[in-house]
Amino acid sequence: GKMAAERGGSPSLPAGEEEPPPLGLEALGEEAAAPSAGFRVTAVRREPAVRLQHGVSGLEPLAWSEDHRVSVSTARSIAVLEQLSDVHSGGQEMVIHRTAVPAPAAACLLKVGPKKEVAECKEKFASSMDPTVSQTFMLDRVFNPEGKSLLPMRGFKYSSWSPLGCDANGRCLLAALTMDNRLTIHANLNRLQWVQLVDLTEIYGERLYEASYKLCKADTPCGDLGDFSEFQRRHSMQTPVRMEWSGICTTQQVKHNNECWDVGSVLLAVLFENGNIAVWQFQLPFLGKESITSCNTIESGINSPSVLSWWEYEHNNRKMSGLIVGSAFGPVKILPVNLKAVKGYFTLRQPVVLWQEMDQLPVHSIKCIPLYHPYQKCSCSLVVAARGPYVFWCLLLISKAGLNVHNSHVTGLHSLPIVSMTADKQNGTVYTCSRDGKVRQLIPIFTDIALKFEHQVIKLSEVFGSVRTHGIAVSPCGAYLAVITTEGMANGLHPVNKNYQVQFVTLKTFEEAAAQLLESSVQNLFRQVDLTDLVRWKILKDKHIPQFLQEALDKKIESCGSTYFWRFKLFLLRIFYQSMQKAPSEVMWRPSHEDTKILISDSPGMGSTEDDQEEGTSKQTTKQSLCDAGKGTDIDDAADDSVPQSSDVAREPMEEKLLEIQAQIEAVEMHLTREHMKRVLGEVYLHTWITENTSIPTRGVCDFLMSDDGYDDRTARVLIGHILKKMNKQTFPEHCSLCKEILPFTDRKQAVCSNGHIWLRCFLTYQSCQSLVYRRCLLHDSIARHPTPEDPEWIKRLLQGPCTFCDSPVF
């Protein structure tokens, strides 16, 4: 099969030529008969390993978000490790930005009635003569979270990431559940600190209190709080077990002028101890309490519920949704969820039982993966659940006859219960792990009727030595596996101390990552950071861009107009440039030699000079590091002036090479700038009567595009002609806020007035940023201004865009 060739990772793979099958599963089907040599996973250790300050706590302690952040639940905080694909660092290690969500200092007491009454009841139960009441009360951590005679409950039970696009920056929100049952939602808005946006436990408790702890009007009036069973009931109806986010859905709202507009919303389902599920609906972007639209409670009828997951299925452009709930006794079923005001969503008529045996195998984790069925030619859902040491799977498919359900178990995978399970949503591969350091990879292979699994073991002991594993998570595009490890047994003895670490293992080869980036459907580098990081690592190691990748990329650029491939090319060139530089630690102390500096700044190969006055003096330093990098290639004692002339000759090609790459980088950046300028001018033309002063320097952008004789783009010429006709002779120049002089538009990155005042330009609107505060993209590639209240909608929309060079969001 084709997959075998790709997995083998032959460097001559014509990455751009073959269209991969949807999700790569048709090829798997062909290969089911053949032995699985093509599926060998090449697990390679990826530095650095991140040491955790506290022990890991809760269930499934590791989660990887769509915007490349790994959350780890520990006994004092949630550690968040953000993976960056940094184009400015030449180090081969992964670049990880580390933050933390601290656990609240005060214990969480659930609201079960008026404070005074609750205190009296607690006193009564604690001193009850009936040991079944007093013992049960004293030892129950839900009633007594702060402990008294027991240790206080610290740490986190579970955390869950929302889909991309939910917070004010268009990134993921983090829902966190503490050991003492406080459920909160957090956002990371300024890169360094996490902010708690809302405490859902408190709000839900208030709602129940107002409704006198009845779920619907018809409920019988609730009992007396002094009755122990009622005291337990009120606690269990608001003790969260797990919570999961749905995908983003669209709701319609009507404005005052009767105009309809679409609003994004997201749902958070919270499963409670008594089997109830609260479904919260939030309007996006989620800002806090005011973003809560509604909260509905569903009764699942499941005893001892342990886990839940969303079922989201698309059939003939109709979207189905429901909630899959698992029990500690074994059963698994899907519950219908009726969504009010959500466009195009349907649900089941009644619950569907996927597994009904009360076989005492607790359901520990459930993943639902949307796939394409190559034989039935339609979409289907694969539900996998970890039950003890087994994996239960269920294939759901809607046909003319109704809902088809196929299910079975995969046995013989692990000798111990599965502690963690994760899935690569792109191709349906499932990974499971037990404590003993063995990870299983399960690849679904479709048969005529249902499916079967190819599976193989990944022995982490071969990568990390003897380890115990506490959790795994796969990265969004399936390039890496994150694993929480502690030391395993040495010479038959357990370790005295446990050091918890998050370690990373590669699941894909460089060739597979490159092919996936070239055939990407999302066409956004930021959303594929795990893949670009594999490519970055390879280029920094080998100090060259592989020939097959260059050719495939050039072919893509010729055949299709997408700027994504230009951004990919820019990324490769920048990494290549970093790989050619000498490590700065060796050259920082060396005095600069004037002659080489002059040689470089006067060199004709410098590319366009309009880029020279880049942010402040950063260009000086790059020139400096250029010549330093050139010098660094000398033998032993480069600082000695008496080095023979021949070493200068050796240093020339290196400098030449660096200058050549820099010229290429500037050419690609220029192309991307012009393409974005065309987009901005198109918006200006569409949204203004005469192109009045819209805080976009329209005339300056037009002149800048026309100033280069070598640039001949017919669309740009036509567009500029239309705009200048609209503007007539008006110019609307920008003025320097310090001296009121006109700011000329000679450079795409900054504006310099005649008195020498320098302002950086916003790369989204090309206006000069003349305020002290502005935003920067994640990789510090470019800056953007803040939207102001007087900006029209279309400018606000422009300002929400990602960086035009690296696709990363702007803070």
Side-chain angles (χ1 to χ4, degrees), residues 37 56 61 80 115 128 217 288 357 368 480 530 538 551 556 609 622 664 678 701 703 717 721 738 763:
V56 165
V80 181
K115 265 193 182 157
S128 166
K217 298 275 189 290
E357 302 295 322
C368 180
Y480 289 118
D530 48 342
K538 171 85 172 171
E551 286 168 8
K556 284 277 183 193
T609 50
T622 47
Q664 284 177 296
K678 274 158 54 181
V701 173
D703 293 348
R717 286 188 186 281
L738 292 178
F763 72 98

Side-chain angles (χ1 to χ4, degrees), residues 110-182:
L110 300 175
K111 190 171 178 68
V112 290
K115 265 193 182 157
K116 191 173 171 214
E117 195 185 334
V118 173
E120 287 166 7
C121 291
K122 284 189 169 184
E123 191 65 38
K124 178 179 133 187
F125 298 139
S127 55
S128 166
M129 295 315 290
D130 180 357
T132 56
V133 173
S134 60
Q135 296 277 328
T136 310
F137 173 78
M138 293 303 286
L139 293 175
D140 194 312
R141 302 316 306 265
V142 178
F143 307 148
N144 297 303
E146 68 267 323
K148 301 288 191 289
S149 55
L150 306 164
L151 286 171
M153 296 287 275
R154 288 295 297 273
F156 287 86
K157 195 189 287 188
Y158 189 65
S159 69
S160 172
W161 290 101
S162 79
L164 199 61
C166 290
D167 77 357
N169 290 323
R171 300 190 71 186
C172 302
L173 296 162
L174 182 62
L177 177 60
T178 60
M179 283 291 195
D180 57 7
N181 303 305
R182 189 193 302 271

Side-chain angles (χ1 to χ4, degrees), residues 673-690:
T673 301
R674 284 172 175 152
E675 288 303 302
H676 184 65
M677 279 179 171
K678 274 158 54 181
R679 198 181 138 224
V680 172
L681 289 178
E683 294 281 330
V684 169
Y685 182 68
L686 283 177
H687 289 101
T688 50
W689 285 108
I690 64 153

Side-chain angles (χ1 to χ4, degrees), residues 417-690:
I418 293 167
V419 291
S420 187
M421 180 171 77
T422 181
D424 179 353
K425 289 277 170 73
Q426 295 199 334
N427 58 14
T429 307
V430 177
Y431 299 88
T432 58
C433 85
S434 57
R435 278 276 142 85
D436 57 8
K438 288 194 182 75
V439 172
R440 282 274 178 182
Q441 179 194 40
L442 290 93
I443 299 165
I445 292 172
F446 284 99
T447 57
D448 293 350
I449 307 146
L451 52 76
K452 60 180 191 176
F453 284 93
E454 279 273 321
H455 54 84
Q456 61 167 324
V457 70
I458 302 172
K459 285 189 183 147
L460 294 177
S461 55
E462 291 172 5
V463 188
F464 303 128
S466 169
V467 287
R468 291 179 66 131
T469 39
H470 303 268
I472 53 173
V474 71
S475 66
C477 300
Y480 289 118
L481 187 73
V483 192
I484 300 176
T485 62
T486 50
E487 294 85 348
M489 289 176 76
N491 306 326
L493 297 172
H494 287 287
V496 182
N497 297 321
K498 273 189 186 176
N499 291 310
Y500 287 90
Q501 287 187 316
V502 179
Q503 310 219 44
F504 297 93
V505 174
T506 65
L507 295 175
K508 283 188 159 63
T509 60
F510 159 73
E511 286 78 12
E512 287 172 298
Q516 204 172 324
L517 282 164
L518 286 168
E519 297 303 333
S520 157
S521 57
V522 292
Q523 301 228 332
N524 180 302
L525 292 174
F526 170 70
R527 291 185 56 181
Q528 306 176 87
V529 161
D530 48 342
L531 295 173
T532 58
D533 187 72
L534 269 182
V535 172
R536 172 180 166 272
W537 187 26
K538 171 85 172 171
I539 295 173
L540 288 172
K541 257 194 318 200
D542 296 356
K543 298 197 186 308
H544 78 101
I545 303 171
Q547 193 59 38
F548 85 91
L549 178 54
Q550 267 183 327
E551 286 168 8
L553 187 55
D554 289 341
K555 198 177 278 180
K556 284 277 183 193
I557 285 175
E558 276 169 43
S559 64
C560 116
S562 167
T563 53
Y564 163 72
F565 297 110
W566 284 90
R567 289 193 297 277
F568 188 18
K569 183 175 183 173
L570 176 63
F571 169 79
L572 295 177
L573 286 169
R574 284 167 157 183
I575 300 300
F576 184 31
Y577 183 77
Q578 288 298 336
S579 73
M580 303 299 282
Q581 298 244 33
K582 195 82 168 133
S585 58
E586 296 168 47
V587 296
M588 287 301 253
W589 54 268
R590 193 174 296 138
S592 61
H593 289 291
E594 286 309 310
D595 52 348
T596 43
K597 198 192 253 180
I598 293 163
L599 167 86
I600 284 196
S601 56
D602 293 347
S603 146
M606 224 12 227
S608 55
T609 50
E610 51 87 27
D611 211 316
D612 269 8
Q613 302 165 310
E614 205 180 22
E615 307 190 7
T617 56
S618 66
K619 196 53 149 241
Q620 275 328 102
T621 52
T622 47
K623 285 183 189 169
Q624 186 61 50
S625 61
L626 271 185
C627 41
D628 284 343
K631 279 189 221 121
T633 55
D634 285 355
I635 321 117
D636 294 342
D637 186 11
D640 186 28
D641 282 337
S642 60
V643 172
Q645 215 44 47
S646 62
S647 70
D648 282 356
V649 183
R651 131 168 31 123
E652 290 283 324
M654 185 69 167
E655 285 179 4
E656 292 287 304
K657 187 77 182 155
L658 281 167
L659 289 172
E660 188 189 319
I661 303 168
Q662 200 174 20
Q664 284 177 296
I665 288 174
E666 286 180 359
V668 177
E669 278 189 4
M670 195 60 184
H671 176 83
L672 287 167
T673 301
R674 284 172 175 152
E675 288 303 302
H676 184 65
M677 279 179 171
K678 274 158 54 181
R679 198 181 138 224
V680 172
L681 289 178
E683 294 281 330
V684 169
Y685 182 68
L686 283 177
H687 289 101
T688 50
W689 285 108
I690 64 153

Side-chain angles (χ1 to χ4, degrees), residues 697 734-735 743 751 759-762 766-770 785:
E734 284 189 286
H735 292 277
L743 286 174
W759 304 105
L760 298 176
R761 288 200 178 279
C762 160
Y766 297 106
Q767 188 192 8
S768 54
C769 293
Q770 299 193 39
R785 69 181 183 83

